[in-house]
Amino acid sequence: MDLRDREFWVFDMDGTLTVPAHDFDAIRKDLELAEGIPILEQLKKMSREEAAPKLACLDAIEKGIADGARPQPGAEPLLRTLREGGARVGILTRNSRDNAWRTLSNCGLDAQFEPASVIGRDCCEPKPSGDGVRRLLRAWEASPTRAVMVGDFLFDLLAGRDAGTATVYLDSEGAGRWSAHADVTVTSLAELHGMIGGRV
């Protein structure tokens, strides 16, 4: 698939534009949640009273991770090339929007994004739903056939599929775990950058 003519790019944040730092098993343990089941899905099934303190704890944990966040190698050059080529870029994360901005700021990537183009779990139905992708595309007045969803996890790829975009899987380990759900698999952002290098 030729990605050079894609004008609208949605990125996952944690583990895609940033170096992976979340230990989800440890977070589930801290929140006293069941092993192996996604955190947000467990919290959604709880009453508001039961979920509130766990959400507050999750927010505090994520703030700590955001404060130590580091950009994924190649993130800034890739984003800069896309924007200089006229592309629109956005973030769709299962993190909160505030912590997304905190993370981007600490990584020096915040200048690459318009505020309205950073979507967190508090803005829409979280991934694997494509709701957040569709929200960005509506704001950009963009067709999904001109868009790409980039991520390092199954939920990112499913969200892109749900919204009708192309999907790029960042498979840093080269294991191909979710390649079947992606149109393109790369092992680094530098590799993806090379694929769209004609934008420069």
Side-chain angles (χ1 to χ4, degrees):
M1 174 178 284
D2 189 348
L3 299 173
R4 289 175 296 178
D5 63 348
R6 300 280 169 153
E7 301 166 305
F8 304 95
W9 290 70
V10 184
F11 290 88
D12 169 57
M13 185 180 65
D14 302 304
T16 299
L17 293 180
T18 67
V19 173
H22 287 67
D23 184 339
F24 292 108
D25 290 334
I27 294 173
R28 277 187 283 265
K29 187 174 181 180
D30 287 345
L31 298 180
E32 299 180 332
L33 297 176
E35 296 180 5
I37 303 174
I39 292 167
L40 298 183
E41 282 70 9
Q42 292 196 61
L43 295 176
K44 186 177 181 179
K45 292 181 179 179
M46 296 179 181
S47 68
R48 184 175 299 179
E49 292 75 16
E50 185 181 9
K54 295 183 185 295
L55 281 167
C57 182
L58 176 61
D59 186 63
I61 291 169
E62 291 177 334
K63 281 181 180 175
I65 295 171
D67 287 342
R70 293 180 293 125
Q72 188 82 256
E76 196 276 336
L78 171 62
L79 294 169
R80 187 176 66 249
T81 292
L82 286 169
R83 294 192 67 201
E84 288 177 352
R88 302 288 296 273
V89 296
I91 293 281
L92 179 60
T93 176
R94 282 169 61 96
N95 210 315
S96 72
R97 188 171 183 273
D98 285 348
N99 281 334
W101 270 111
R102 193 183 189 107
T103 299
L104 293 170
S105 177
N106 286 329
C107 288
L109 299 175
D110 52 322
Q112 301 296 333
F113 295 94
E114 300 170 356
S117 295
V118 176
I119 306 293
R121 63 172 176 255
D122 38 0
C123 305
C124 65
E125 188 71 21
K127 296 175 290 188
S129 168
D131 182 43
V133 179
R134 287 188 289 270
R135 174 173 170 163
L136 284 168
L137 296 181
R138 285 194 300 270
W140 293 337
E141 298 183 345
S143 165
T145 61
R146 307 291 291 173
V148 184
M149 176 74 212
V150 183
D152 69 319
F153 186 64
L154 176 62
F155 285 1
D156 307 316
L157 306 175
L158 293 178
R161 286 273 192 249
D162 185 39
T165 73
T167 52
V168 174
Y169 172 33
L170 175 60
D171 181 17
S172 299
E173 297 178 353
R177 186 175 182 186
W178 294 300
S179 291
H181 300 276
D183 296 300
V184 175
T185 297
V186 296
T187 57
S188 68
L189 293 182
E191 182 181 353
L192 179 57
H193 192 186
M195 295 175 71
I196 55 93
R199 290 182 177 274
V200 178

